[in-house]
Amino acid sequence: MVSVKTETVRSEALRALLSYWRDKTRQRGGVLPARRDLRPDEMVSFLRNVSLINVYDNPRRFQFRLVGTGIVAAMGRETTSLWVNEAVFADRTSKVSAFFSLPAETRNPAYAAGRYTVSPTGRELQFETVLAPLSSDGSSIDMLLGGLVGETLQRDERIRLFDYERIHPMLLD
C-alpha cells in the first residue's frame, strides 16, 4: 500500500488536525499523544470536523465516542456512542474497519477519500477523512483522533451507498 504525504489532504481543517496531532507527538518527545493531551480550545479551527473513536482489541472493534457537528452534517446522522457496524456504512463496515485499523497497526495517521450516494436524489457527494492514533499509556492504541470533511446532506437525504476510493497510510513531513 502506497503512503501519502500531508499535501495530499485537500481540506484545510484536516491538515490542521494532522498538524495538531504532530505537534502533540513532538511535545511528548515522539510518544503518541493521549486523549488527555487534546484541548478543544486549541482545536477551534477544525473542532466541528473531529471525532474520537475508541479502539478495542480481541476482537478489534471501534466505537464512536464523540462526533463533531460537521461530521454529523456530512453523514446525515448522529453516530456518537455507536459501534462502526451500527453506523451508516452498511455493507462497507469491513472496509471501514480495515481503514480504522491502519493507524492502530502502523502507529501513524491514515488518509482516505471517497464518495457516498444519497437517496432519494441519487446525488454523489465527496468526502475525505484522516485518522491519527492516540495512546493513554504511550504504547497501546486505545483511541483514534479522526477528522472528516464532506459535502452536507439535505434534510430529506440519507446515505444509500458509501465507498472509499483511496485508503493510504500517511508519511509525516
Side-chain angles (χ1 to χ4, degrees):
M1 186 175 291
V2 177
S3 297
V4 297
K5 294 186 176 187
T6 305
E7 300 85 52
T8 302
V9 179
R10 295 180 308 258
S11 163
E12 183 60 39
L14 297 183
R15 285 194 304 272
L17 182 150
L18 288 168
S19 177
Y20 181 76
W21 178 86
R22 189 178 314 114
D23 289 347
K24 290 295 180 183
T25 303
R26 285 184 189 132
Q27 289 170 11
R28 292 179 47 109
V31 174
L32 291 175
R35 163 64 185 99
R36 67 182 170 272
D37 297 316
L38 307 180
R39 298 198 31 199
D41 61 316
E42 298 173 341
M43 304 165 69
V44 172
S45 69
F46 58 90
L47 190 59
R48 68 183 309 273
N49 300 99
V50 165
S51 63
L52 291 174
I53 302 146
N54 290 325
V55 178
Y56 298 94
D57 284 320
N58 300 318
R60 182 167 284 156
R61 294 183 67 200
F62 303 94
Q63 182 184 35
F64 294 100
R65 179 172 173 180
L66 173 137
V67 179
T69 58
I71 298 173
V72 171
M75 300 304 285
R77 178 176 176 194
E78 174 63 67
T79 57
T80 297
S81 298
L82 294 181
W83 295 90
V84 165
N85 63 317
E86 298 173 320
V88 298
F89 308 117
D91 63 341
R92 301 296 194 259
T93 297
S94 63
K95 200 169 187 180
V96 173
S97 292
F99 171 58
F100 282 29
S101 291
L102 269 177
E105 293 166 2
T106 66
R107 303 178 61 80
N108 282 304
Y111 170 82
R115 60 188 159 79
Y116 39 92
T117 305
V118 297
S119 58
T121 63
R123 288 189 319 138
E124 283 192 357
L125 306 175
Q126 303 293 313
F127 73 91
E128 67 176 346
T129 183
V130 297
L131 296 171
L134 299 175
S135 176
S136 59
D137 65 6
S139 178
S140 59
I141 309 303
D142 53 12
M143 186 170 280
L144 302 175
L145 171 62
L148 183 137
V149 173
E151 297 178 68
T152 302
L153 273 68
Q154 302 302 314
R155 182 178 302 263
D156 63 337
E157 293 178 324
R158 294 289 174 254
I159 293 176
R160 179 178 48 155
L161 177 66
F162 169 94
D163 203 8
Y164 293 120
E165 295 170 345
R166 299 184 302 159
I167 296 176
H168 300 285
M170 296 193 73
L171 291 176
L172 297 181
D173 336 303

